[in-house]
Amino acid sequence: MTLHDTMSDVDARHLTKGVVVSVSGVTKQYDSGTRALADVDLDIAEGDFVAVVGPSGCGKSTLLRMAAGLERPSAGSVALATDSVGFIFQEPTLLPWRSVRANVELVAEIARLPKSERRTRAQRAIDAVGLTGFESQLPRMLSGGMKMRASLARTLTSEPEVMLLDEPFGALDEMTRLDMQTELQRLYAERGFTAMFITHSVSEAVFLANRVIVMSARSGRIVADTRIDFPYPRHPELRYDPQFTAYVAEISDTLREARQ
Ligand code: ADP
């Protein structure tokens, strides 16, 4: 792994072996005076799928943007053990004049990979997200779920070691959302990337993650950290498992307390 830290004063040798994302004593105060995060510590191990839930405005996106290096902490440090990072945001942000294939090729194009390599990677990613046959379509011809699949495929072409996802399925209807959850954890099980996933939905968090973090209302702190002991790949019926329901109930209770 190469080394990339999001803060110049971070000494990466302080990263514990096997830790890919390390957030240490992080406080974030915006110029407006809003204190979004207060003394947050979070280590994410290689291969972990960490979901972060918390009340609106508690600083989840701020935390993710910091892991991405897009935001600097006011105090504390954030370090990443790799610069192979992919982002997925709530909006699929496809270029409307480009076909699905041309959109998916974009990351490889910017990285100046040879055309044949771009094609191969794009096709592999398109097949992986179930968009085979839609390569020539323009984004406006796609449903919300298909646009999100294209967005996922575009990120997968760079084969990231770490995936940072900020409520990627928040704008989708319920059924599409459940399909996308199945799809994402299948890709995770196949490819073995490390994931940090922000969501409002406790059941989404439990279905996807092997670790669910609950944050308190602003200024966000971590108030619970629960291991989800289900093997991957996970099947949609898992949601009817009594243990699944128990996890959802426990985390929802913590979240309810965290809002106060
Ligand atoms: P969440 O993702 O949990 O909803 P955010 O991280 O988006 O929370 O925001 C946390 C708090 O910080 C909110 O009160 C929000 O208004 C504020 N905030 C977020 N980004 C900025 C910014 N760029 N400038 C000032 N305040 C911000």
Side-chain angles (χ1 to χ4, degrees):
M1 271 187 184
T2 55
L3 198 75
H4 163 76
D5 51 58
T6 56
M7 278 288 288
S8 53
D9 61 347
V10 169
D11 184 340
R13 283 170 300 181
H14 292 159
L15 274 175
T16 312
K17 197 172 176 302
V19 171
V20 181
V21 180
S22 181
V23 175
S24 177
V26 162
T27 294
K28 176 67 183 181
Q29 178 137 6
Y30 285 107
D31 292 342
S32 60
T34 302
R35 209 158 96 120
L37 296 170
D39 203 17
V40 171
D41 291 307
L42 175 64
D43 276 355
I44 299 182
E46 189 174 352
D48 261 357
F49 196 124
V50 175
V52 181
V53 295
S56 262
C58 75
K60 301 183 292 298
S61 294
T62 301
L63 186 61
L64 192 86
R65 287 204 301 273
M66 260 177 214
L70 301 172
E71 202 87 69
R72 292 169 71 86
S74 313
S77 61
V78 179
L80 259 85
T82 177
D83 54 12
S84 169
V85 179
F87 313 97
I88 303 272
F89 299 103
Q90 185 164 342
E91 293 300 324
T93 58
L94 302 173
L95 298 175
W97 59 88
R98 285 189 160 224
S99 67
V100 165
R101 176 181 283 121
N103 264 291
V104 173
E105 281 187 11
L106 193 63
V107 173
E109 201 175 304
I110 292 167
R112 295 175 185 270
L113 293 182
K115 199 168 170 119
S116 62
E117 176 69 11
R118 289 199 313 246
R119 245 326 121 88
T120 308
R121 285 190 182 211
Q123 194 60 54
R124 207 185 304 139
I126 287 168
D127 294 344
V129 301
L131 277 183
T132 316
F134 294 91
E135 291 85 348
S136 308
Q137 304 268 28
L138 290 172
R140 68 180 153 78
M141 298 159 148
L142 305 178
S143 68
M146 289 162 92
K147 284 184 195 151
M148 188 43 76
R149 284 172 196 267
S151 169
L152 253 178
R154 183 180 51 197
T155 301
L156 289 175
T157 56
S158 65
E159 297 171 1
E161 289 175 26
V162 177
M163 287 273 260
L164 302 173
L165 306 104
D166 195 354
E167 291 204 58
F169 309 147
L172 302 177
D173 66 76
E174 182 66 10
M175 288 316 289
T176 308
R177 187 171 183 155
L178 298 183
D179 286 347
M180 290 306 295
Q181 290 169 12
T182 305
E183 205 71 20
L184 178 63
Q185 63 78 39
R186 185 182 58 74
L187 289 167
Y188 163 73
E190 277 171 20
R191 298 187 172 221
F193 47 77
T194 303
M196 182 172 175
F197 185 101
I198 307 294
T199 179
H200 272 108
S201 161
V202 175
S203 66
E204 181 166 88
V206 173
F207 184 73
L208 288 172
N210 66 353
R211 196 176 157 201
V212 178
I213 304 290
V214 179
M215 288 178 66
S216 68
R218 199 180 74 220
S219 309
R221 288 172 301 106
I222 292 175
V223 292
D225 185 345
T226 309
R227 283 251 149 227
I228 309 296
D229 274 327
F230 293 124
Y232 295 91
R234 297 176 179 175
H235 300 284
E237 304 75 47
L238 178 66
R239 297 188 182 89
Y240 309 126
D241 187 302
Q243 182 57 49
F244 184 93
T245 315
Y247 279 132
V248 171
E250 179 194 324
I251 294 167
S252 300
D253 283 347
T254 312
L255 192 53
R256 207 166 299 118
E257 285 163 25
R259 276 167 42 198
Q260 283 144 25

